[in-house]
DNA sequence: CTGGAGCTCATTTTT
DNA sequence: TGAGCTCCAG
């Protein structure tokens, strides 16, 4: 038997060997799904003789795609792996659009608007419109994204509108798309949607891509939305060269348009689908899995699945009642300190998981107080920082002069004495002539609308930027960008504006870090030539940023949301805030979305390898007032015999559910609540 | 254009 | 409670 399968268990082996038709692998948490995908790729290349360039593996995150690339290159050596596609959905979409940009009517160097850019554009459109105020920004942005993910074009949205409100949003949607087109830009959703439309409209283009991608593997399939599924379906065609791996119990992104039912739809679209379940878990103790299975059994299931492991029974799950959220954070900190000594383990063996980012703040304070090193993943992203957005806008404008949004962001940053009236006149002129603002700057006719002094300043800026652009396409792009930052004296501008020199220095450091990243990306050109356009696109798609990698090696407790923890594992896991209104979150209770919250809890539990500790606070400060809480309903869904309850006296669902039983715990909580701060 | 007072709104967020 | 915003006075 092949070397690629003899380390696998029988189910995994079956999943790797089944190549004569579509294959759905239901892979429970920790069941070795990445092994299956990577070994299947190796098997296809080395045993089936399929050239690597005809195989594509698609993931959702850059992290997953990076890991997959690494693991494949460990299995398939050298030239045999050349041309293999391992990328995120969005990256694949980007590559398709790039190759076919002419057909699609995009100029090369088109911009990619991230979520933030898209919102900024929407805000502007809504402001101009007046019908909708920007209070609804979130709603509108979400609705448009949902429409795009469900393949609904503006005209369809308008005709299906149920209310005037919806019709208004549909109108904004139309203008939003129009603006993107004018800016020669796409948003994240378009990266998937555009290839789908292309393939539906041009069968010959689709055929070409089908010839290229003969075998497709998709990771985390439960997270696909409608347009992603359609993209998969189109690429696979009726040849059935498809393996998808997923777990319906780990679907936690339905609120973002993911369609976990895509897992079962597969059966309809591919009748010959082979279903393989991976139930052996290589991560956790049997106790942890029993608890996880017991919990998730409360959800309805299309496919029954029960995880098991050979890792031994393991310790009981602890559920700890704390007086309030302060005591909870304190308790977790103390647990980490004592467990670390008792078990002789590292800080990095611990993770603290929570529902909402705001819960991290108190934990941070307590960890700091006890000098426990930690790192938080998530929070304000690097790319949300104003200085990064500024430099990125310069770069975007260099690559795509039609990007009016980028133009407007940086035309007067740093100050160039180009005021609103000048820009209004310029915008008006550009609009009339149906050209971009940058292009309008070069027109002779503009002199009639703008005072000579302003015009001169604007044109000097444009010429300078063009000059930098030429340098960027030369031999030393990074040097050119550095030159650009120096030309505009961005550093001086930062110092002038920042509240302290320290802040300015920090911001400048971020910019140097950005330039370093660009340098790395351009150097990593293994064989293929990477243009400045590619580098910027990679940055916008958050690819190739090795921030996290440095931190992974440090000995730090990991703090993150339950969502962010998917796919990760830690020896000792704390889940905090196990309360009604928090873990099932209140809005989910109101919207009757308990099942997804239960899956979220399931994801949290299955992150743990050795021990799992859940905490909850009897009282919690919420919007400034102290609220009596009751513990999460999910705690009652855990098997009694595997759980050790602390601070609640005898655990008794019926009596304890409501307040009032005079247990030691409730007495303590009364003390805690009454104590002055 | 900046800074401070006042108002309002509180999930999750792979790309 | 407190972060993030708008709005108005300088």
């Amino acid at each position: 038997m092949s070397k690629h399968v003899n380390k696998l268990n029988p189910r995994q082996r079956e999943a790797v060997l089944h190549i004569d038709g579509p294959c759905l692998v239901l892979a429970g948490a920790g069941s070795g799904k990445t092994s299956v995908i990577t070994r299947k790729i190796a098997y296809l290349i080395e045993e089936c003789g399929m050239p690597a360039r005809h195989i594509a593996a698609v993931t959702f995150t850059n992290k997953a795609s990076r890991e997959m690339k690494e693991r494949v290159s460990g299995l398939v050596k050298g030239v045999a792996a050349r041309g293999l596609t391992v990328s995120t959905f969005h990256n694949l979409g980007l590559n398709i659009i790039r190759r076919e940009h002419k057909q699609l009517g995009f100029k090369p160097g088109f911009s990619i608007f991230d979520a933030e850019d898209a919102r900024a554009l929407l805000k502007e459109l809504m402001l101009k419109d007046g019908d909708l105020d920007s209070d609804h920004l979130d709603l509108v942005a979400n609705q448009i994204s949902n429409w795009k993910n469900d393949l609904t074009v503006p005209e369809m949205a308008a005709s299906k509108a149920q209310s005037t409100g919806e019709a208004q949003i549909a109108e904004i949607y139309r203008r939003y798309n129009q603006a993107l087109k004018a800016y020669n830009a796409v948003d994240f959703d378009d990266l998937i949607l555009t290839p789908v439309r292309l393939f539906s409209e041009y069968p010959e283009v689709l055929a070409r891509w089908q010839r290229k991608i003969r075998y497709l593997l998709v990771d985390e399939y439960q997270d696909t939305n409608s347009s992603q599924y359609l993209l998969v379906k189109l690429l696979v065609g009726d040849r059935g060269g498809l393996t998808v791996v997923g777990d319906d119990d780990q679907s936690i992104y339905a609120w973002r348009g993911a369609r976990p039912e895509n897992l079962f739809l597969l059966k309809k679209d591919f009748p010959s689908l082979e279903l393989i379940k991976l139930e052996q878990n290589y991560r956790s103790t049997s106790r942890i899995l029993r608890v996880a299975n017991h919990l998730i059994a409360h959800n309805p299931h299309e496919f029954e699945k029960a995880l098991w492991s050979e890792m031994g029974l393991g310790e009981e799950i602890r559920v700890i009642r704390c007086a309030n959220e302060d005591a909870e954070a304190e308790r977790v900190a103390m647990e980490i300190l004592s467990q670390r000594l008792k078990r002789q383990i590292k800080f990095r063996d611990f993770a603290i998981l929570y529902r909402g980012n705001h819960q991290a703040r108190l934990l941070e304070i307590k960890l700091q107080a006890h000098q426990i090193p930690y790192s938080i993943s998530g929070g304000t992203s690097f790319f949300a920082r104003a200085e990064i957005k500024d430099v990125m806008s310069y770069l975007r404008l260099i690559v795509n002069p039609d990007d009016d949004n980028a133009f407007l962001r940086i035309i007067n940053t740093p100050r160039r004495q180009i005021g609103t009236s000048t820009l209004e006149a310029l915008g008006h002129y550009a609009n009339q002539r149906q050209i971009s603002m940058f292009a309008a700057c070069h027109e002779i006719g503009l002199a009639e609308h703008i005072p000579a002094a302003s015009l001169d300043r604007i044109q000097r800026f444009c010429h300078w930027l063009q000059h930098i652009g030429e340098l960027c396409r030369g031999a030393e792009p990074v040097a050119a960008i550095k030159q650009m930052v120096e030309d505009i004296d961005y550093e001086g501008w930062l110092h002038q504006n920042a509240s302290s020199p320290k802040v300015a220095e920090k911001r400048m450091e971020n910019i140097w870090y950005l330039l370093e990243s660009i340098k790395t990306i351009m150097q990593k050109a293994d064989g293929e030539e990477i243009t400045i356009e590619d580098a910027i696109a990679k940055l916008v798609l958050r690819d190739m940023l090795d921030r996290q990698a440095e931190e992974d090696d440090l000995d730090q407790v990991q703090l993150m949301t339950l969502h962010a923890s998917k796919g990760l594992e830690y020896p000792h896991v704390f889940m905090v805030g196990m309360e009604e209104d928090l873990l099932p979150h209140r809005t989910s209770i109101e919207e009757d979305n308990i099942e997804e919250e239960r899956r979220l809890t399931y994801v949290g539990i299955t992150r743990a390898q050795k021990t799992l500790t859940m905490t909850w606070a009897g009282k919690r400060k919420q919007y400034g007032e102290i609220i009596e809480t009751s513990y999460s309903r999910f705690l009652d869904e855990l098997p009694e015999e595997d759980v050790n309850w602390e601070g609640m006296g005898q655990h008794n669902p019926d009596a304890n559910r409501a307040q009032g039983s005079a247990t030691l715990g409730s007495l303590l909580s009364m003390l805690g609540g009454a104590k002055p701060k």
Side-chain angles (χ1 to χ4, degrees), chain A residues 246-265:
Chain A
D247 180 3
D248 47 336
D249 290 330
Q250 292 188 70
S251 155
I252 53 175
Y253 285 105
W255 54 274
R256 253 196 136 202
R259 297 284 189 88
E261 65 270 27
N262 283 347
L263 277 173
F264 352 117
L265 286 177

Side-chain angles (χ1 to χ4, degrees), chain A residues 54 85 92-100 198-199 203-214 234-236 239:
Chain A
H54 290 316
T85 302
L92 176 67
L94 172 64
N95 285 332
I96 295 170
I97 298 174
R98 249 204 218 123
R99 296 265 178 88
E100 314 290 344
L198 175 77
F199 289 160
E204 71 282 5
V205 178
L206 173 61
R208 205 165 67 233
W209 280 88
Q210 285 179 337
R211 253 175 273 134
K212 170 162 170 49
I213 298 175
R214 298 187 192 167
L234 285 165
L235 280 172
V236 172
R239 286 168 311 170

Side-chain angles (χ1 to χ4, degrees), chain A residues 449-473:
Chain A
H449 301 87
I450 289 177
S454 304
L455 187 63
D456 182 52
R457 285 194 284 265
I458 261 192
Q459 287 183 336
R460 275 223 304 270
F461 169 77
C462 292
H463 286 136
W464 166 78
L465 198 71
Q466 270 180 331
H467 171 66
I468 297 289
E470 279 157 30
L471 290 181
C472 277
R473 282 163 230 280

